[in-house]
Amino acid sequence: MDRKAMLRAYRERKVTGGVYGYRNRANGKLLLQSTSDISKAGNHLAFSREMGLCPHPLLRDDWDSSKGADYALEILETLDKKPEQTDGEFADEISTLEALWRERIGQSVLY
C-alpha cells in the first residue's frame, strides 16, 4: 500500500468515542472518563497493569492495595463520529454524554 492510500484509509476509518470507567470490583467505586477513541481505554488499563503504574491519581490508594487486580474496564456507551462532524464537535458531544452519565450514576459511587 502506498503512502497516499494509507493516509486515505486512516482518514476514512471509523472513529468511535464513548464513556467508560475503571470499576473497582472490591468496593464498587467507578472512575468515569470519556474519550474520542474508545479503543485506547482498554490499552491504557492493560499498559498500567503491565508497568505497575496507576492509571489515574484518584485511584492511587485503592490501586496500590491490589496492584490493579481489582479493576475492570466498563464501556458504558459508545458513539460513532459522523463524517460531517469536526473533531471539536465530536469531543463536545462525548463530553455531554459523560455529563449525562455522571448524573445517572451519582457522586456516591464515583471517585
Side-chain angles (χ1 to χ4, degrees):
M1 191 183 282
D2 69 346
R3 188 173 190 278
K4 286 184 180 183
M6 289 180 3
L7 187 57
R8 185 174 35 259
Y10 174 78
R11 287 183 182 150
E12 293 172 355
R13 79 191 188 293
K14 181 179 175 184
V15 178
T16 302
V19 177
Y20 67 97
Y22 297 141
R23 171 80 65 187
N24 183 329
R25 293 177 293 213
N27 65 16
K29 293 192 87 164
L30 179 75
L31 176 70
L32 188 67
Q33 296 187 297
S34 61
T35 181
S36 58
D37 188 353
I38 200 77
S39 66
K40 293 179 182 178
N43 295 340
H44 186 233
L45 183 61
F47 179 78
S48 295
R49 279 191 185 131
E50 189 172 314
M51 299 305 292
L53 303 170
C54 180
H56 195 280
L58 290 174
L59 304 178
R60 171 72 55 212
D61 293 337
D62 291 340
W63 182 274
D64 288 346
S65 68
S66 71
K67 304 295 184 221
D70 289 341
Y71 286 87
L73 174 69
E74 289 184 13
I75 298 189
L76 302 172
E77 191 168 346
T78 60
L79 188 65
D80 292 332
K81 182 180 175 191
K82 298 173 186 86
E84 67 276 0
Q85 271 184 317
T86 66
D87 290 342
E89 291 169 339
F90 187 56
D92 289 345
E93 201 167 334
I94 295 291
S95 293
T96 301
L97 194 60
E98 180 183 351
L100 291 172
W101 272 97
R102 284 191 184 283
E103 286 179 23
R104 186 180 305 167
I105 290 173
Q107 287 297 332
S108 63
V109 179
L110 298 176
Y111 276 98

